[in-house]
Amino acid sequence: MNNKKIRVLGIESSCDETSVSVVEKSNGDYKVLSNVVKSQIEIHKFYGGVVPELAARAHSDIIDKLIVMALSDAKLSFKNINAISATAGPGLLGGLLVGVVAAKTLSYILNKPFIAINHLEGHALSIKLERSIEYPYLLLLVSGGHTEFTIIKGFNSYKRIGTTIDDALGEAFDKTARLLNLDYPGGPQIEKYAKLGDKNRFKLPMPLMNEKNAHFSFAGLKSAIANIVAKHRCTEKFKKDMAASFQETVNRIIFKKSQNAIRAYKKIIKNNKKIKIVVAGGVAANKGIRKSLKRLGEIEDCEFLFPSIKYCTDNGAMIALAGIERFERNKFNKLSFKPRPRWPLDKNAVFMKGKRTVEG
Ligand code: KG4
Ligand code: ZN
């Protein structure tokens, strides 16, 4: 193998997508050689959310086939791969075990390094799959399990400056969709209905909106919607108006909290460069949110960057890329490494879930 080329096979199985990818780094550039993704939406749809046990079974049913497919799509064999990386947390333990055990087994048999990846690090670095970016930059991660602002100061140097104290934003979309009898996952459904409704019909609460920090709270929003739903007939017109009101509320929350996050970033990172904000996670696909952030970018003279949707949602490519970054720094893991269902990117960040009062 050409010494300048590094190729890592990355495995993702932390939630409801099984994905395997081969990414190559050559002369400083990344290239996705393959990225196979199998979504479990059809399995979980019936339940209106991810069922952990079913998710784990579905990952284990398919993981070996996806590994073979990822290699074949990349037109490579195991001997061309330098290391195996897998998401080892945070996420659902059953799913994490499937990916981690597969990666460890390959590592042992092939005698190649095993690299445990923090899923959030994958999202944080995913933008590099498509363009180069200089550190530092700000990450807004909005997915079904996470909602946070983190300063990516450099590789392995992360400072969280905002997070949700209860539900993640994707969870709020999914729960609202469920209250309106819309399909799972809720985000795309809400977005579709919102376009057809009256955004001013329902006034919904915006918790923590007047606080100057970059923290979020979405649980109250869901309760307020549940109360309104209980008093109305769930007609198509009602669904559209509620979806539009919800989308409008979320747009305003994201706008305001991103503005607060930019202020917080400027206090910590003192340079004159234009701030870059990477928006990742499944909710980053939402056009209403994208539009409101682009407007904020113009007002604040910052640049919002959105990875392609296929790299915003969970994918093996970002795990392979994070694997390459670690491989280059000889950051390997022992086969005794245990998956971590809870694994913050910033080890010093305070656990905020359930905090009633929020500082700074
Ligand atoms: O990142 P992701 O694929 O999986 C993880 O949670 O890690 O994100 C899934 C979430 C779901 O909650 C889904 O409803 C939401 O992303 N989502 C959206 C949209 N597409 C997916 N939310 C709002 N608007 C969308 N267009
Ligand atoms: Zn994710």
Side-chain angles (χ1 to χ4, degrees), residues 3-282:
N3 277 337
K4 283 198 191 119
K5 282 188 179 159
I6 301 169
R7 293 187 191 118
V8 170
L9 181 118
I11 301 176
E12 161 59 39
S13 60
S14 64
C15 190
D16 60 349
E17 261 114 19
T18 325
S19 179
V20 184
S21 164
V22 179
V23 174
E24 176 181 278
K25 187 172 186 182
S26 172
N27 296 321
D29 292 328
Y30 290 99
K31 195 165 165 195
V32 179
L33 300 183
S34 64
N35 185 42
V36 193
V37 184
K38 176 82 176 81
S39 161
Q40 300 178 358
I41 285 179
E42 288 308 315
I43 295 171
H44 303 296
K45 215 173 179 172
F46 176 75
Y47 305 95
V50 180
V51 184
E53 170 70 19
L54 296 183
R57 286 176 191 223
H59 287 304
S60 79
D61 278 348
I62 198 145
I63 191 86
D64 50 341
K65 295 169 195 82
L66 295 198
I67 292 170
V68 172
M69 277 168 74
L71 279 175
S72 128
D73 283 5
K75 298 189 176 53
L76 295 173
S77 67
F78 281 123
K79 69 175 191 308
N80 308 113
I81 302 292
N82 296 89
I84 319 289
S85 64
T87 297
L92 301 171
L93 183 61
L96 295 172
L97 279 167
V98 173
V100 165
V101 168
K104 285 178 179 176
T105 308
L106 289 176
S107 153
Y108 183 74
I109 298 171
L110 303 167
N111 196 22
K112 305 203 179 218
F114 160 67
I115 307 174
I117 301 294
N118 182 317
H119 180 79
L120 307 177
E121 181 168 86
H123 278 302
L125 304 179
S126 63
I127 187 77
K128 294 180 179 215
L129 290 166
E130 296 175 293
R131 54 166 289 166
S132 60
I133 185 166
E134 263 178 43
Y135 297 118
Y137 58 90
L138 182 58
L139 169 75
L140 166 57
L141 176 60
V142 273
S143 70
H146 303 276
T147 300
E148 63 178 68
F149 288 105
T150 297
I151 302 178
I152 313 302
K153 292 180 162 182
F155 178 76
N156 211 16
S157 173
Y158 308 118
K159 180 159 180 59
R160 196 188 70 194
I161 57 170
T163 188
T164 177
I165 62 166
D166 41 55
D167 292 352
L169 182 53
E171 206 176 341
F173 269 96
D174 294 338
K175 286 180 175 170
T176 301
R178 210 161 146 181
L179 288 168
L180 299 178
N181 289 327
L182 299 175
D183 274 352
Y184 175 84
Q189 296 295 324
I190 295 276
E191 183 165 25
K192 198 169 95 191
Y193 272 71
K195 281 194 197 117
L196 308 167
D198 172 7
K199 64 179 184 185
N200 298 314
R201 176 156 168 209
F202 299 107
K203 274 252 147 328
L204 300 172
M206 292 190 272
L208 309 185
M209 196 61 165
N210 295 323
E211 298 192 15
K212 290 197 167 67
N213 54 49
H215 296 308
F216 298 96
S217 168
F218 294 109
L221 192 52
K222 187 204 78 186
S223 313
I225 294 171
N227 283 336
I228 301 172
V229 168
K231 292 182 194 127
H232 287 76
R233 276 196 317 119
C234 201
T235 60
E236 283 297 292
K237 163 98 178 90
F238 173 76
K239 289 184 195 178
K240 289 170 189 166
D241 291 346
M242 181 51 88
S245 305
F246 173 82
Q247 177 78 61
E248 171 66 11
T249 307
V250 166
N251 292 350
R252 289 174 60 188
I253 296 172
I254 291 285
F255 183 95
K256 184 72 199 312
K257 291 297 178 177
S258 300
Q259 198 162 36
N260 293 352
I262 291 167
R263 307 247 146 93
Y265 179 97
K266 282 181 182 163
K267 281 190 191 149
I268 296 168
I269 306 292
K270 303 215 183 284
N271 66 25
N272 295 325
K273 291 194 182 144
K274 188 165 177 162
I275 300 174
K276 289 194 164 62
I277 303 146
V278 174
V279 190

Side-chain angles (χ1 to χ4, degrees), residues 335-355:
L335 294 187
S336 56
F337 186 98
K338 290 190 180 60
R340 299 175 180 171
R342 204 181 91 68
W343 188 4
L345 200 48
D346 172 358
K347 344 185 232 315
N348 299 317
V350 179
F351 187 60
M352 293 291 285
K353 288 262 162 98
K355 292 247 159 163

